[in-house]
């Protein structure tokens, strides 16, 4: 099966030998600490490294076993006691948070996204209408699932709206450093000053997802409450992984590895765009042009139903995730697909896109 569904790095992106050595050295150097229970907020040296990169105090950085687990803790903080409340999300958005929020009983309000990212007018209208949401969830850079990036103008405007409405805003940014072209935009966290913006990221896309090291930078009060939830769940997160990642970054492997990953995945992004142009150019299908990250969003012409197309695609050996998975039920995406180019080879990309195009025709 050619999988455009798997939003994971191709195996050759994983720095296996380096990490094996880092894990060994981390245990030898700091085994008595990292093989015991540790601090609820995670391994101190890695928190300090992240804090320095973001210009914050280390106490504001909380490490979790993947950033998605931090999202679960944040959701528990707001909705765990059965309290009602709203969360504003992008439409489409990453499907796992949608499911986590729905399971927690949150009211999910979806806001439109276009080629420039989240629509600030829609955000403003919803904030004015009220009631105030528990938080706004957004993936401004190389969004999962669309690959789109919030424009510079919109970043400034949204940072102003966050301040004006004093609303908590979660900026989820696991892909931002995996950029193939264009110029990096300032984070909402940096534009707003980190008072109301929670920043989350992860080493899943820059080092390896299997280390399960994600992190959050919280405003102080929220951070303490979320850390208490984490501690009551797992006492401490996995120190061995975090110390391994610390050893990796501390010996200067982070940037060269990232450059290597960008080379490997950038070639796949280029192949996906070229294959789509060749196979679907002029067909009425439209797709996003991600400058980084793992995903591209494909809108088939109106009338194509991906509930019907996907099983036929799988029967010919190619799979993707249906657009509807990234919306609240009934919210859209019927003729859309999320195509991940991170896992498949360049040859598979050309072959898979050709198969999809012939099925569509
Ligand atoms: C937008 C977004 N946030 C969070 C995550 C989860 O990352 P982690 O591996 O750190 O849990 C992913 C993973 O695909 C993602 O796409």
């Amino acid at each position: 099966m050619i999988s455009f569904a798997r939003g994971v790095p191709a195996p050759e992106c994983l720095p296996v030998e380096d990490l094996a050595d880092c894990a060994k050295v981390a245990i030898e150097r700091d085994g008595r600490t990292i093989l015991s229970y540790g601090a609820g907020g995670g391994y101190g040296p890695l928190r300090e490294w992240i804090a320095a990169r973001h210009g914050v105090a280390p106490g504001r950085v909380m490490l979790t076993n993947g950033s998605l687990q931090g999202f679960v803790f944040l959701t528990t903080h707001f909705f765990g006691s059965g309290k009602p409340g709203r969360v504003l999300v992008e439409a489409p958005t990453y499907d796992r948070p949608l499911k986590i929020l729905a399971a927690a009983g949150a009211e999910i309000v979806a806001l439109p996204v276009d080629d420039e990212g989240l629509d600030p007018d829609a955000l403003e209208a919803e904030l004015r209408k009220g009631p105030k949401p528990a938080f706004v969830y957004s993936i401004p850079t190389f969004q999962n699932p669309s690959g789109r990036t919030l424009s510079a103008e919109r970043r400034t405007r949204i940072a102003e709206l966050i301040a004006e409405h004093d609303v908590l805003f979660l900026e989820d940014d696991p892909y931002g450093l995996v950029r193939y072209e264009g110029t990096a935009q300032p984070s909402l966290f940096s534009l707003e000053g980190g008072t109301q913006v929670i920043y989350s990221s992860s080493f899943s896309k820059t080092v390896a997802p299997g280390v399960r090291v994600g992190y959050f930078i919280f405003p102080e009060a929220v951070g303490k409450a979320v850390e208490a939830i984490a501690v009551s769940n797992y006492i401490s997160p996995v120190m061995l992984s975090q110390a391994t990642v610390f050893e990796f970054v501390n010996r200067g492997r982070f940037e060269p590895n990232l450059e290597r990953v960008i080379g490997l995945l950038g070639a796949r992004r280029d192949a996906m765009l070229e294959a789509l142009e060749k196979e679907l150019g002029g067909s009425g299908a439209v797709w996003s042009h991600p400058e980084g990250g793992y995903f591209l969003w494909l809108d088939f012409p109106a009338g194509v139903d991906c509930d019907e197309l996907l099983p036929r695609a799988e029967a010919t050996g190619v799979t993707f995730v249906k657009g509807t998975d990234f919306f609240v039920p009934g919210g859209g995406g019927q003729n859309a697909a999320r195509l991940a180019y991170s896992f498949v080879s360049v040859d598979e990309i050309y072959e898979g896109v050709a198969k999809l195009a012939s099925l569509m025709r």
Side-chain angles (χ1 to χ4, degrees), residues 7-8 64-71 93-97 137-139 141-145 172-175 200-205 208-210 212-216 294-295 338:
V8 300
T64 49
N65 300 323
S67 62
L68 194 66
Q69 190 175 41
F71 187 90
T93 191
Y94 181 28
D95 51 343
R96 290 182 198 272
Y137 173 60
S138 168
I139 310 157
T141 309
F142 315 141
Q143 197 226 26
N144 181 1
D172 188 10
D173 187 28
Y175 301 101
S200 70
S201 188
S202 169
F203 293 93
S204 289
K205 314 298 176 320
R212 307 307 297 128
V213 182
Y215 67 90
F216 282 70
Y294 280 20
F295 307 109
R338 186 193 75 174

Side-chain angles (χ1 to χ4, degrees), residues 15-75:
V16 177
E17 286 81 19
D18 261 353
L19 283 177
D21 194 54
C22 289
K24 180 167 179 288
V25 169
I27 292 181
E28 284 166 358
R29 197 197 47 233
D30 214 6
R32 285 171 197 274
T33 301
I34 63 176
L35 295 177
S36 188
Y37 293 116
Y43 186 60
L46 187 58
R47 292 171 81 181
E48 282 166 25
W49 184 83
I50 293 166
R53 280 174 75 91
H54 291 278
V56 299
R60 288 182 59 192
V61 178
M62 179 174 160
L63 302 172
T64 49
N65 300 323
S67 62
L68 194 66
Q69 190 175 41
F71 187 90
V72 172
F73 294 151
L74 188 68
T75 303

Side-chain angles (χ1 to χ4, degrees), residues 3-294:
S3 180
F4 295 145
R6 299 202 68 190
V8 300
E12 60 267 38
C13 293
L14 305 173
V16 177
E17 286 81 19
D18 261 353
L19 283 177
D21 194 54
C22 289
K24 180 167 179 288
V25 169
I27 292 181
E28 284 166 358
R29 197 197 47 233
D30 214 6
R32 285 171 197 274
T33 301
I34 63 176
L35 295 177
S36 188
Y37 293 116
Y43 186 60
L46 187 58
R47 292 171 81 181
E48 282 166 25
W49 184 83
I50 293 166
R53 280 174 75 91
H54 291 278
V56 299
R60 288 182 59 192
V61 178
M62 179 174 160
L63 302 172
T64 49
N65 300 323
S67 62
L68 194 66
Q69 190 175 41
F71 187 90
V72 172
F73 294 151
L74 188 68
T75 303
T76 305
H77 168 61
F78 283 108
F79 300 102
S81 55
K83 256 192 326 197
R86 309 198 306 157
V87 176
L88 312 189
V89 304
E90 295 165 338
T93 191
Y94 181 28
D95 51 343
R96 290 182 198 272
L98 274 182
K99 291 193 183 108
I100 291 163
L101 290 169
E107 183 194 339
I108 303 169
V109 179
L111 303 173
V113 169
D114 61 23
D115 269 342
E116 282 186 66
L118 176 62
D119 177 351
D121 292 336
L123 174 63
E124 180 170 21
E126 202 54 53
L127 291 174
R128 284 200 190 289
K129 192 172 108 192
K132 189 165 165 170
F135 61 96
V136 181
Y137 173 60
S138 168
I139 310 157
T141 309
F142 315 141
Q143 197 226 26
N144 181 1
S146 71
R148 293 177 184 128
T149 293
L150 189 65
S151 67
E153 298 73 37
R154 287 191 182 183
R155 281 173 196 251
T156 309
R157 169 109 188 271
I158 289 175
E160 286 164 4
L161 286 173
I162 295 166
E164 186 189 330
H165 291 269
D166 193 32
V167 67
L168 208 54
F169 190 102
L170 172 57
E171 176 175 25
D172 188 10
D173 187 28
Y175 301 101
L177 293 176
V178 187
R179 176 178 280 282
Y180 316 123
E181 64 173 281
T183 320
Q185 303 293 334
S187 63
L188 285 162
F189 178 83
S190 64
L191 287 172
E192 185 271 345
T195 310
Q196 289 297 112
V197 177
I198 302 168
Y199 181 86
S200 70
S201 188
S202 169
F203 293 93
S204 289
K205 314 298 176 320
T206 52
V207 179
V211 294
R212 307 307 297 128
V213 182
Y215 67 90
F216 282 70
I217 304 174
F218 283 117
E220 217 159 281
V222 186
K224 281 200 167 40
V226 175
E227 189 174 321
I229 292 166
V231 169
S232 69
N233 270 271
Y234 55 37
I235 309 177
S236 62
V238 182
M239 295 288 148
L240 172 55
S241 292
Q242 296 171 9
T244 302
V245 170
F246 177 70
E247 176 60 27
F248 189 82
V249 301
N250 198 40
R251 53 168 80 169
R253 296 304 304 144
F254 186 79
E255 302 294 347
N257 183 63
L258 182 59
E259 281 309 310
R260 194 180 63 81
V261 167
I262 287 171
L264 290 166
L265 298 187
R268 290 165 161 86
R269 190 284 313 249
D270 293 347
M272 180 67 92
L273 287 175
E274 193 182 287
L276 286 166
E277 194 53 54
K278 176 166 169 266
E279 301 289 345
L280 288 175
S283 69
V286 289
W287 52 90
S288 62
H289 287 65
E291 292 190 337
Y294 280 20

